[in-house]
Coordinates of all heavy atoms in Angstrom, one line a residue:
M1 N 59.9 113.4 110.7 CA 60.6 112.1 110.5 C 62.1 112.3 110.4 O 62.6 113.1 109.6 CB 60.0 111.5 109.2 CG 60.6 110.1 108.9 SD 59.7 109.5 107.5 CE 60.7 108.1 107.2
Q2 N 62.8 111.5 111.2 CA 64.3 111.6 111.2 C 64.9 110.5 110.4 O 64.3 109.3 110.4 CB 64.8 111.5 112.6 CG 64.8 112.8 113.4 CD 65.5 112.6 114.7 OE1 65.3 111.7 115.4 NE2 66.3 113.6 115.0
T3 N 65.9 110.8 109.7 CA 66.6 109.7 108.9 C 67.9 109.3 109.7 O 68.3 110.1 110.6 CB 67.0 110.2 107.5 OG1 67.8 111.4 107.7 CG2 65.8 110.6 106.7
N4 N 68.4 108.2 109.4 CA 69.6 107.7 110.1 C 70.9 108.0 109.4 O 71.7 107.2 109.2 CB 69.5 106.2 110.3 CG 70.4 105.7 111.4 OD1 71.0 106.5 112.1 ND2 70.5 104.4 111.5
T5 N 71.0 109.3 109.0 CA 72.3 109.7 108.3 C 73.2 110.4 109.3 O 72.8 111.0 110.3 CB 71.9 110.7 107.2 OG1 71.3 111.9 107.7 CG2 71.1 110.1 106.1
Q6 N 74.5 110.3 109.0 CA 75.5 110.8 109.9 C 76.2 112.0 109.2 O 76.6 111.8 108.0 CB 76.5 109.8 110.3 CG 77.5 110.2 111.3 CD 78.4 109.1 111.8 OE1 78.3 108.0 111.3 NE2 79.3 109.4 112.7
N7 N 76.4 113.1 109.8 CA 77.1 114.2 109.2 C 78.6 114.0 109.2 O 79.1 113.2 110.0 CB 76.8 115.5 110.0 CG 75.4 116.0 109.8 OD1 74.7 115.6 108.9 ND2 74.9 116.7 110.8
A8 N 79.3 114.7 108.3 CA 80.7 114.5 108.3 C 81.4 115.1 109.5 O 82.6 114.8 109.8 CB 81.3 115.2 107.0
T9 N 80.7 116.0 110.2 CA 81.3 116.6 111.4 C 81.1 115.9 112.7 O 81.6 116.2 113.7 CB 80.8 118.1 111.6 OG1 79.4 118.0 111.7 CG2 81.2 118.9 110.4
D10 N 80.4 114.8 112.6 CA 80.1 114.0 113.8 C 81.4 113.1 114.0 O 81.5 112.0 113.5 CB 78.9 113.1 113.7 CG 77.6 113.9 113.6 OD1 77.7 115.1 114.1 OD2 76.6 113.4 113.1
L11 N 82.3 113.5 114.9 CA 83.5 112.8 115.1 C 83.5 112.2 116.5 O 82.8 112.8 117.4 CB 84.7 113.7 115.0 CG 84.9 114.4 113.6 CD1 86.1 115.4 113.7 CD2 85.3 113.3 112.6
P12 N 84.2 111.1 116.8 CA 84.2 110.6 118.1 C 85.0 111.5 119.1 O 85.8 112.4 118.6 CB 85.0 109.3 118.0 CG 85.8 109.4 116.7 CD 85.0 110.3 115.8
L13 N 84.7 111.4 120.3 CA 85.4 112.3 121.3 C 86.9 112.1 121.4 O 87.6 113.0 121.6 CB 84.7 112.1 122.7 CG 83.3 112.5 122.8 CD1 82.7 112.2 124.2 CD2 83.1 114.0 122.5
V14 N 87.3 110.8 121.3 CA 88.8 110.5 121.3 C 89.1 110.0 119.9 O 88.5 109.0 119.5 CB 89.1 109.5 122.3 CG1 90.6 109.1 122.3 CG2 88.8 110.0 123.7
A15 N 90.0 110.6 119.2 CA 90.4 110.2 117.8 C 91.3 109.0 118.0 O 92.3 109.0 118.7 CB 91.1 111.3 117.1
K16 N 91.0 108.0 117.2 CA 91.8 106.7 117.2 C 92.6 106.7 116.0 O 92.2 107.2 114.9 CB 90.9 105.5 117.3 CG 90.0 105.4 118.5 CD 90.8 105.2 119.8 CE 89.9 105.0 121.0 NZ 90.7 104.7 122.2
E17 N 93.8 106.0 116.1 CA 94.6 105.9 114.9 C 94.3 104.5 114.2 O 93.4 103.8 114.6 CB 96.1 105.9 115.4 CG 97.1 106.0 114.3 CD 96.8 107.1 113.3 OE1 96.8 108.3 113.7 OE2 96.7 106.8 112.1
Y18 N 95.0 104.2 113.2 CA 94.7 103.0 112.4 C 94.7 101.7 113.3 O 93.9 100.9 113.0 CB 95.8 102.8 111.3 CG 95.8 104.0 110.4 CD1 97.0 104.8 110.4 CD2 94.8 104.3 109.6 CE1 97.0 105.9 109.5 CE2 94.8 105.4 108.7 CZ 96.0 106.2 108.7 OH 96.0 107.3 107.9
N19 N 95.5 101.6 114.3 CA 95.6 100.4 115.1 C 94.6 100.4 116.3 O 94.7 99.6 117.1 CB 97.0 100.1 115.5 CG 97.6 101.2 116.3 OD1 96.9 102.2 116.6 ND2 98.9 101.1 116.6
G20 N 93.8 101.5 116.4 CA 92.8 101.5 117.4 C 93.3 102.0 118.8 O 92.6 101.9 119.8
I21 N 94.6 102.5 118.8 CA 95.1 103.0 120.1 C 95.1 104.5 120.1 O 95.3 105.1 119.0 CB 96.6 102.4 120.3 CG1 96.5 100.9 120.3 CG2 97.2 102.9 121.5 CD1 97.9 100.2 120.3
D22 N 95.0 105.1 121.2 CA 95.0 106.6 121.3 C 96.3 107.1 120.6 O 97.4 106.6 120.8 CB 95.0 107.0 122.8 CG 95.0 108.5 122.9 OD1 94.6 109.2 122.0 OD2 95.3 108.9 124.0
R23 N 96.1 108.1 119.8 CA 97.2 108.7 119.0 C 98.3 109.3 119.9 O 99.5 109.4 119.4 CB 96.7 109.8 118.0 CG 96.0 109.2 116.9 CD 95.9 110.2 115.8 NE 94.7 110.9 115.9 CZ 94.3 111.9 115.1 NH1 95.1 112.3 114.2 NH2 93.2 112.5 115.3
N24 N 98.0 109.7 121.1 CA 99.0 110.3 121.9 C 99.7 109.3 122.9 O 100.6 109.7 123.6 CB 98.4 111.4 122.8 CG 98.0 112.6 121.9 OD1 98.8 113.0 121.0 ND2 96.9 113.2 122.2
A25 N 99.3 108.1 122.8 CA 99.9 107.0 123.7 C 101.4 106.8 123.2 O 101.7 106.8 122.0 CB 99.1 105.7 123.6
W26 N 102.2 106.5 124.2 CA 103.6 106.1 123.9 C 103.7 104.6 123.7 O 103.6 103.9 124.7 CB 104.5 106.6 125.0 CG 106.0 106.4 124.7 CD1 106.7 105.2 125.0 CD2 106.9 107.2 123.9 NE1 108.0 105.3 124.5 CE2 108.1 106.5 123.8 CE3 106.7 108.4 123.3 CZ2 109.2 107.1 123.2 CZ3 107.8 109.0 122.7 CH2 109.0 108.3 122.6
V27 N 103.8 104.2 122.5 CA 103.8 102.7 122.2 C 105.1 102.4 121.5 O 105.6 103.1 120.6 CB 102.6 102.4 121.2 CG1 102.6 100.9 120.9 CG2 101.3 102.8 121.8
F28 N 105.8 101.4 122.0 CA 107.1 101.0 121.5 C 107.0 100.3 120.1 O 106.1 99.5 119.9 CB 107.8 100.1 122.5 CG 109.2 99.8 122.1 CD1 110.2 100.7 122.2 CD2 109.5 98.6 121.6 CE1 111.5 100.4 121.9 CE2 110.8 98.3 121.2 CZ 111.8 99.2 121.3
G29 N 107.9 100.6 119.2 CA 107.9 99.9 117.9 C 107.6 100.8 116.8 O 107.4 102.0 117.0
W30 N 107.5 100.3 115.6 CA 107.1 101.0 114.4 C 105.6 101.1 114.3 O 105.0 100.1 114.0 CB 107.7 100.3 113.1 CG 109.2 100.3 113.1 CD1 109.9 99.2 113.5 CD2 110.1 101.3 112.8 NE1 111.3 99.5 113.3 CE2 111.4 100.8 112.9 CE3 109.9 102.6 112.4 CZ2 112.5 101.5 112.7 CZ3 111.0 103.4 112.1 CH2 112.3 102.8 112.3
N31 N 105.1 102.3 114.6 CA 103.6 102.5 114.5 C 103.3 103.9 114.3 O 104.2 104.8 114.4 CB 103.0 101.9 115.8 CG 103.6 102.5 117.0 OD1 103.7 103.7 117.2 ND2 104.2 101.6 117.9
P32 N 102.1 104.3 114.0 CA 101.7 105.7 113.7 C 102.0 106.6 114.9 O 102.3 107.8 114.7 CB 100.2 105.6 113.4 CG 100.0 104.2 112.9 CD 100.9 103.4 113.7
Q33 N 101.9 106.1 116.1 CA 102.1 107.0 117.3 C 103.5 107.5 117.3 O 103.8 108.6 117.7 CB 101.8 106.2 118.6 CG 100.3 106.1 118.9 CD 99.7 104.9 118.2 OE1 100.4 104.1 117.5 NE2 98.4 104.7 118.3
Q34 N 104.5 106.6 117.0 CA 105.9 107.0 117.0 C 106.2 108.1 115.9 O 107.0 108.9 116.1 CB 106.8 105.8 116.8 CG 106.8 104.9 118.0 CD 107.1 105.6 119.3 OE1 108.0 106.5 119.3 NE2 106.5 105.2 120.4
E35 N 105.4 108.0 114.8 CA 105.6 109.1 113.8 C 105.2 110.4 114.3 O 105.8 111.4 114.1 CB 104.8 108.7 112.5 CG 105.4 107.6 111.8 CD 106.7 107.9 111.2 OE1 107.0 109.0 110.8 OE2 107.6 106.9 111.2
L36 N 104.1 110.5 115.1 CA 103.7 111.7 115.7 C 104.7 112.2 116.7 O 105.0 113.4 116.7 CB 102.3 111.5 116.4 CG 101.1 111.3 115.5 CD1 99.9 110.9 116.3 CD2 100.9 112.6 114.7
W37 N 105.2 111.3 117.6 CA 106.2 111.7 118.6 C 107.5 112.2 117.9 O 108.1 113.1 118.3 CB 106.5 110.6 119.6 CG 105.4 110.6 120.6 CD1 104.4 109.7 120.7 CD2 105.3 111.4 121.7 NE1 103.6 110.0 121.8 CE2 104.1 111.0 122.4 CE3 106.0 112.5 122.2 CZ2 103.7 111.7 123.6 CZ3 105.6 113.2 123.3 CH2 104.4 112.7 124.0
N38 N 107.9 111.5 116.8 CA 109.1 111.9 116.1 C 108.9 113.3 115.5 O 109.9 114.1 115.6 CB 109.3 110.9 114.9 CG 110.6 111.2 114.2 OD1 111.5 111.7 114.8 ND2 110.7 110.8 113.0
G39 N 107.8 113.6 115.0 CA 107.5 115.0 114.5 C 107.6 116.0 115.6 O 108.1 117.1 115.4
R40 N 107.0 115.7 116.7 CA 106.9 116.7 117.8 C 108.3 116.9 118.3 O 108.7 118.1 118.6 CB 106.1 116.1 118.9 CG 104.6 116.1 118.6 CD 103.8 115.3 119.6 NE 102.4 115.3 119.3 CZ 101.6 114.4 119.8 NH1 101.9 113.6 120.8 NH2 100.3 114.4 119.4
L41 N 109.1 115.9 118.5 CA 110.5 116.1 119.0 C 111.4 116.8 118.0 O 112.2 117.6 118.4 CB 111.1 114.7 119.4 CG 110.4 114.0 120.6 CD1 111.0 112.6 120.8 CD2 110.5 114.9 121.8
A42 N 111.1 116.5 116.7 CA 111.9 117.2 115.7 C 111.6 118.7 115.7 O 112.5 119.6 115.5 CB 111.6 116.7 114.3
M43 N 110.3 119.1 115.9 CA 109.9 120.5 116.0 C 110.6 121.2 117.2 O 111.1 122.3 117.1 CB 108.4 120.6 116.1 CG 107.7 120.4 114.7 SD 106.0 120.6 114.8 CE 105.4 119.1 115.5
I44 N 110.6 120.5 118.3 CA 111.3 121.0 119.5 C 112.8 121.2 119.3 O 113.3 122.2 119.6 CB 111.0 120.1 120.7 CG1 109.6 120.1 121.1 CG2 112.0 120.4 121.9 CD1 109.2 119.1 122.2
G45 N 113.4 120.3 118.6 CA 114.8 120.4 118.3 C 115.1 121.5 117.3 O 116.1 122.2 117.5
F46 N 114.2 121.7 116.3 CA 114.4 122.8 115.4 C 114.3 124.1 116.1 O 115.1 125.0 115.9 CB 113.4 122.7 114.3 CG 113.6 123.7 113.2 CD1 114.7 123.6 112.3 CD2 112.7 124.7 113.0 CE1 114.9 124.5 111.3 CE2 112.9 125.7 112.0 CZ 114.0 125.6 111.2
V47 N 113.3 124.3 116.9 CA 113.2 125.6 117.7 C 114.3 125.8 118.6 O 114.8 126.9 118.8 CB 111.8 125.6 118.4 CG1 111.7 126.8 119.4 CG2 110.7 125.7 117.4
A48 N 114.8 124.7 119.3 CA 115.9 124.8 120.2 C 117.2 125.3 119.4 O 117.9 126.1 119.9 CB 116.2 123.5 120.9
Y49 N 117.4 124.8 118.2 CA 118.5 125.2 117.4 C 118.4 126.7 117.0 O 119.4 127.4 117.0 CB 118.7 124.3 116.2 CG 119.9 124.8 115.3 CD1 121.2 124.7 115.7 CD2 119.6 125.6 114.2 CE1 122.2 125.2 115.0 CE2 120.7 126.1 113.4 CZ 122.0 125.9 113.8 OH 123.0 126.4 113.1
L50 N 117.2 127.1 116.6 CA 117.0 128.5 116.2 C 117.3 129.4 117.4 O 118.0 130.5 117.2 CB 115.6 128.7 115.7 CG 115.2 128.1 114.4 CD1 113.8 128.4 114.0 CD2 116.1 128.7 113.3
L51 N 116.9 129.0 118.6 CA 117.2 129.8 119.8 C 118.7 129.9 120.1 O 119.3 130.9 120.4 CB 116.4 129.3 121.0 CG 114.9 129.5 120.9 CD1 114.2 128.8 122.1 CD2 114.5 131.0 120.8
W52 N 119.3 128.7 119.9 CA 120.8 128.6 120.1 C 121.5 129.5 119.1 O 122.5 130.2 119.4 CB 121.2 127.1 119.9 CG 122.6 126.8 120.1 CD1 123.6 126.7 119.2 CD2 123.2 126.6 121.4 NE1 124.8 126.4 119.8 CE2 124.6 126.3 121.2 CE3 122.7 126.5 122.7 CZ2 125.5 126.0 122.2 CZ3 123.6 126.2 123.7 CH2 125.0 126.0 123.5
D53 N 121.0 129.5 117.8 CA 121.6 130.4 116.8 C 121.4 131.8 117.1 O 122.3 132.6 116.9 CB 121.0 130.0 115.4 CG 121.8 130.6 114.3 OD1 123.0 130.6 114.3 OD2 121.1 131.1 113.3
L54 N 120.3 132.2 117.6 CA 120.0 133.6 117.9 C 120.9 134.1 119.1 O 121.2 135.2 119.2 CB 118.5 133.8 118.3 CG 117.6 133.8 117.1 CD1 116.1 133.8 117.6 CD2 117.9 134.9 116.1
A55 N 121.3 133.1 119.9 CA 122.1 133.5 121.1 C 123.6 133.7 120.6 O 124.4 134.1 121.4 CB 122.1 132.4 122.1
G56 N 123.9 133.4 119.4 CA 125.3 133.6 118.9 C 126.1 132.4 118.7 O 127.3 132.4 118.4
Y57 N 125.6 131.2 119.0 CA 126.3 129.9 118.9 C 125.9 129.2 117.7 O 125.3 128.2 117.7 CB 126.1 129.1 120.2 CG 126.4 129.7 121.4 CD1 125.5 130.2 122.3 CD2 127.8 129.9 121.8 CE1 125.8 130.9 123.5 CE2 128.1 130.5 123.0 CZ 127.1 131.0 123.8 OH 127.5 131.6 125.0
S58 N 126.3 129.7 116.5 CA 125.8 129.1 115.3 C 126.8 128.0 114.8 O 128.0 128.3 114.5 CB 125.7 130.2 114.2 OG 125.3 129.6 113.0
V59 N 126.3 126.8 114.7 CA 127.1 125.7 114.2 C 127.4 125.9 112.7 O 128.5 125.7 112.2 CB 126.4 124.3 114.5 CG1 127.2 123.2 113.9 CG2 126.3 124.2 116.0
V60 N 126.3 126.2 112.0 CA 126.5 126.4 110.5 C 127.5 127.5 110.2 O 128.4 127.4 109.3 CB 125.1 126.7 109.9 CG1 125.2 127.0 108.4 CG2 124.2 125.5 110.1
R61 N 127.4 128.6 110.9 CA 128.3 129.7 110.6 C 129.7 129.3 111.0 O 130.7 129.7 110.3 CB 127.9 131.0 111.4 CG 128.6 132.2 111.1 CD 128.1 133.4 111.8 NE 127.7 133.1 113.2 CZ 126.5 133.5 113.7 NH1 125.6 134.1 113.0 NH2 126.2 133.2 115.0
D62 N 129.9 128.6 112.0 CA 131.3 128.2 112.4 C 131.9 127.2 111.4 O 133.0 127.3 111.1 CB 131.2 127.5 113.8 CG 130.9 128.5 114.9 OD1 131.0 129.7 114.7 OD2 130.6 128.1 116.0
V63 N 131.1 126.3 110.9 CA 131.5 125.3 109.9 C 131.9 126.1 108.6 O 132.9 125.8 108.0 CB 130.5 124.2 109.6 CG1 130.9 123.4 108.4 CG2 130.4 123.4 110.9
L64 N 131.0 127.0 108.2 CA 131.3 127.8 107.0 C 132.6 128.6 107.1 O 133.4 128.8 106.2 CB 130.1 128.6 106.6 CG 128.9 127.9 106.1 CD1 127.8 128.8 105.8 CD2 129.2 127.0 104.9
H65 N 132.8 129.1 108.3 CA 134.0 129.9 108.6 C 135.3 129.1 108.5 O 136.3 129.5 108.0 CB 133.9 130.6 110.0 CG 135.1 131.4 110.3 ND1 135.4 132.6 109.6 CD2 136.1 131.3 111.2 CE1 136.5 133.1 110.1 NE2 137.0 132.3 111.1
L66 N 135.2 127.8 109.0 CA 136.4 126.9 108.9 C 136.7 126.5 107.5 O 137.8 126.1 107.2 CB 136.1 125.7 109.8 CG 136.0 125.9 111.3 CD1 135.7 124.7 112.0 CD2 137.4 126.5 111.8
M67 N 135.7 126.5 106.6 CA 135.9 126.1 105.2 C 136.6 127.1 104.4 O 137.1 126.8 103.3 CB 134.6 125.7 104.6 CG 133.9 124.5 105.2 SD 132.3 124.1 104.6 CE 132.8 123.3 103.1
R68 N 136.7 128.3 104.8 CA 137.3 129.4 104.0 C 138.8 129.3 104.1 O 139.5 128.9 104.9 CB 136.9 130.8 104.6 CG 135.5 131.0 104.2 CD 135.1 132.4 104.7 NE 133.7 132.5 104.7 CZ 133.1 133.6 105.0 NH1 133.8 134.7 105.4 NH2 131.8 133.7 105.0

């Protein structure tokens, strides 16, 4: 006999956000999708700055040098 219970691991194939739109969709305005894109672009910018700093073009080091 089978019961009609659902496991916690039974997830839909496409995860939907609060407003029912795909989380990776580019939607204009203040919404959860833009928060995800903002985080992704911030991570790309942070890594780009780290690479720029490793190449010897440090903005922070230059500013601290000017303050002395």
Side-chain angles (χ1 to χ4, degrees):
M1 181 173 171
Q2 279 187 316
T3 59
N4 197 9
T5 59
Q6 186 175 3
N7 294 336
T9 58
D10 293 339
L11 298 174
L13 295 177
V14 176
K16 299 290 184 178
E17 190 53 57
Y18 301 113
N19 57 5
I21 300 173
D22 182 19
R23 285 197 270 179
N24 291 319
W26 185 269
V27 181
F28 185 75
W30 298 100
N31 52 57
Q33 285 83 3
Q34 292 303 324
E35 289 296 322
L36 289 172
W37 280 102
N38 185 28
R40 291 171 182 164
L41 294 174
M43 287 184 275
I44 290 171
F46 185 72
V47 170
Y49 176 75
L50 287 178
L51 293 174
W52 184 263
D53 191 41
L54 288 174
Y57 302 104
S58 177
V59 175
V60 175
R61 186 174 42 230
D62 292 344
V63 169
L64 292 177
H65 179 69
L66 291 175
M67 295 175 78
R68 291 183 192 181

